[in-house]
């Protein structure tokens, strides 16, 4: 088991050239811990962000007993435990495995699957892609070659409402109203025909029953992921994602789908815009959506979320969909400091770890983000030019230049004047 990984060296590309990766990515996982300034960090892949109430309680206990007492929600709906003490790796792995959070030690870093968090709950969308996510996770873990994917390779499963299609997935599946599926791999898009019939014998292991369209979508997604691995191996540049492959060496996606016996028709491709995150509040009559302030869930908040919940889904917007409770549970969650009201000034405010947790950060951005004024536009505070964890779509970028100065709209702003400048930026119309 690795306690920490060094930075990944990369040969800088010439302008317009693909990068050359000299080593595999050092993206942290549940078994590959990262040494941060505030202790060890574990990143847990949670396909579709899904947790049972028992798993939520286990993570609350782990955060208190091994870490800094909180769990961080990432921009992919995964979870991070920070401030972990030295030597906790074996104990943490055993705890996660016992809770069903580590189904495949060899594949744990490649289970990067985001899915429409409200799928199957509010009557919107064209398919329950949460079920697709479970089937894709099972298919990935069952395919030995899939373990070679980078920890950054992302699958996005959209139920047709458009909420996750614009999150930069390497393979994106979008449910269509007629039962077909739109698949985007790299920069190419295909329409996968809805299957006519499906039998139990044709349903792969791990796939939920009665999801013929989902079965086709999962097979197509896996075929494209393996095609990327073939192209990356042939290119020899160590590419982590399709966008990093050299020109002229991209996968033949159509051929890969044909080999998998999937009927796919090329269709015009246009990158979908990332819509604004869903507002906190009720989702239908049996679910709630709340936001975690700056993406942090204390152990107390985790236990409050698990109380009476059938299921908990972490979202790419650093929020939580709680399945089971009705709207009368919102006041109790608000009492634990969770964002339950769209008018709350904390809505749309995100930040990287900042100091003292990150050695590369130039400022305590979380402290400044906690004082952010409200406004309709999202705002992200970054401790350095890497802008880790930034959301997709339209946003205000606030980047630290030093402990007392930030860059906002291309101009330096003293920290003492930051709140006023952010207030003006969040209410200013954005250029199209």
């Amino acid at each position: 088991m690795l306690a920490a990984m060094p930075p990944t060296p990369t040969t800088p590309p010439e302008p317009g050239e693909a990068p050359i990766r000299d080593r595999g990515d050092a993206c942290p996982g549940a078994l590959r811990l990262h040494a941060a300034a505030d202790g060890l960090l574990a990143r847990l892949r949670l396909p579709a962000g899904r947790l049972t109430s028992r798993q939520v309680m286990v993570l609350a206990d782990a955060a208190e007993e091994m870490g800094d007492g909180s769990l961080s929600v990432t921009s992919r709906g995964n979870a991070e435990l920070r401030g972990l003490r030295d030597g906790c790796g074996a104990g943490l792995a055993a705890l996660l495995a016992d809770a069903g959070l580590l189904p495949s030690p060899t594949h744990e870093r490649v289970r990067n699957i985001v899915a429409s968090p409200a799928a199957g709950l509010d009557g919107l969308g064209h398919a329950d892609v949460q079920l697709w996510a479970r089937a894709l996770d099972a298919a990935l873990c069952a395919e030995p070659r899939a373990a070679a994917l980078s920890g950054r390779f992302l699958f996005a499963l959209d139920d047709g409402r458009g909420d996750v299609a614009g999150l930069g997935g390497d393979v994106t599946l979008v449910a269509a109203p007629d039962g077909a599926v739109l698949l985007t791999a790299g920069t190419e898009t295909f329409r996968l025909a809805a299957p006519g019939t499906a039998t139990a014998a044709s349903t792969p292991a791990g796939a939920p029953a009665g999801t013929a369209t989902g079965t086709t979508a999962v097979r197509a997604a896996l075929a494209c992921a393996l095609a990327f691995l073939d192209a990356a191996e042939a290119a020899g540049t160590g590419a982590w994602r399709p966008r990093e492959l050299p020109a002229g060496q991209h996968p033949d996606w159509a051929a890969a789908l044909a080999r998998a016996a999937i009927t796919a028709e090329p269709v015009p491709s246009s990158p979908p815009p990332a819509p604004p995150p869903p507002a906190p509040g009720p989702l239908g009559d049996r679910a709630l959506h709340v936001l975690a302030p700056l993406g942090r869930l204390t152990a107390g908040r985790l236990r409050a979320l698990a109380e009476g919940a059938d299921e908990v889904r972490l979202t790419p917007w650093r929020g939580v969909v709680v399945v089971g409770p009705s709207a009368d549970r919102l006041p109790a969650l608000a009492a634990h400091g969770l964002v339950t009201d769209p008018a709350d000034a904390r809505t749309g405010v995100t930040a990287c770890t900042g100091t003292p947790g990150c050695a590369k950060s130039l400022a305590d951005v979380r402290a400044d983000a906690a004082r952010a004024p409200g406004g309709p536009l999202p705002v992200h505070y970054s401790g350095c030019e890497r802008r880790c964890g930034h959301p997709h779509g339209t946003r205000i970028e606030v980047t630290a230049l030093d402990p007392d100065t930030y860059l906002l709209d291309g101009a330096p702003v003293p920290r003492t004047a930051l709140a006023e400048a952010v207030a003006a930026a969040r209410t200013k119309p954005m250029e199209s």
Side-chain angles (χ1 to χ4, degrees):
M1 181 177 299
L2 299 177
M5 291 296 294
T8 303
T10 298
T11 302
E14 296 294 328
E17 290 186 355
I20 297 176
R21 306 287 187 187
D22 299 324
R23 294 185 185 177
D25 77 285
C27 202
L31 302 180
R32 177 183 289 184
L33 306 186
H34 169 70
D38 57 349
L40 297 177
L41 177 154
R43 183 173 298 158
L44 284 58
R45 270 60 175 194
L46 306 174
R50 180 177 178 269
L51 291 164
T52 66
S53 57
R54 174 179 174 266
Q55 289 170 335
V56 173
M57 299 296 280
V58 167
L59 292 179
D61 292 343
E64 280 189 332
E65 296 168 8
M66 300 181 182
D68 64 3
S70 294
L71 179 143
S72 295
V73 184
T74 76
S75 59
R76 292 182 168 188
N78 290 320
E80 289 182 349
L81 292 169
R82 300 189 64 97
L84 297 168
R85 64 175 184 269
D86 289 341
C88 75
L92 177 62
L95 188 73
L96 297 176
D98 182 64
L101 292 168
L102 196 60
S104 172
T106 56
H107 290 66
E108 62 99 3
R109 292 193 316 128
V110 307
R111 302 168 64 229
N112 290 303
I113 305 171
V114 298
S116 299
L121 299 176
D122 59 359
L124 303 178
H126 308 304
D128 189 348
V129 293
Q130 290 281 322
L131 299 179
W132 297 9
R134 298 177 204 179
L136 178 56
D137 184 32
L140 281 172
C141 291
E143 171 53 62
R145 285 195 63 216
L149 290 170
S150 158
R152 290 164 166 77
F153 194 95
L154 178 64
F155 298 90
L157 314 183
D158 193 302
D159 69 358
R161 75 184 67 210
D163 58 347
V164 303
L167 295 185
D170 298 292
V171 175
T172 298
L173 300 170
V174 180
D178 61 355
V181 178
L182 295 179
L183 177 147
T184 299
T187 60
E188 297 181 47
T189 300
F190 302 86
R191 185 181 187 276
L192 310 182
T197 58
T199 64
S202 66
T203 302
T211 55
T213 298
T215 299
T216 301
V218 166
R219 290 176 50 236
L222 183 60
C224 288
L226 298 180
F228 162 73
L229 288 177
D230 289 339
E233 182 178 352
T237 58
W240 295 338
R241 311 181 71 178
R243 68 192 67 171
E244 295 181 352
L245 289 168
Q249 293 187 270
H250 288 261
D252 186 340
W253 306 112
L257 294 169
R259 286 193 297 272
I262 295 169
T263 303
E265 175 191 0
V267 295
S269 178
S270 59
L283 282 175
D285 58 3
R286 63 185 187 94
L288 307 172
H289 176 224
V290 300
L291 298 177
L294 300 181
R296 297 283 278 176
L297 293 170
T298 63
R301 288 172 181 166
L302 287 167
R303 294 185 180 112
L305 289 165
E307 184 178 342
D310 298 329
E311 181 177 294
V312 168
R313 303 173 182 178
L314 304 186
T315 78
W317 309 285
R318 294 178 171 85
V320 184
V321 169
V322 189
V323 182
S326 58
D328 58 10
R329 179 80 178 132
L330 285 173
L333 296 178
H336 282 273
L338 293 159
V339 179
T340 62
D341 183 352
D344 192 312
R346 297 172 294 173
T347 302
V349 180
T350 57
C352 71
T353 298
T355 59
C358 177
K360 289 184 170 61
S361 180
L362 303 174
D364 186 355
V365 294
R366 300 183 73 83
D368 290 321
R371 295 187 287 270
L377 291 176
V379 58
H380 183 70
Y381 289 70
S382 300
C384 72
E385 62 182 9
R386 295 185 305 161
R387 298 180 175 86
C388 292
H390 66 76
H392 286 263
T394 300
R395 63 186 180 274
I396 304 300
E397 286 280 1
V398 180
T399 307
L401 298 177
D402 60 51
D404 297 309
T405 313
Y406 283 86
L407 188 68
L408 174 62
D409 283 342
V413 177
R415 185 170 180 265
T416 53
L418 185 61
E420 181 180 357
V422 170
R426 293 194 75 184
T427 56
K428 183 177 66 175
M430 295 289 289
E431 295 180 4
S432 58

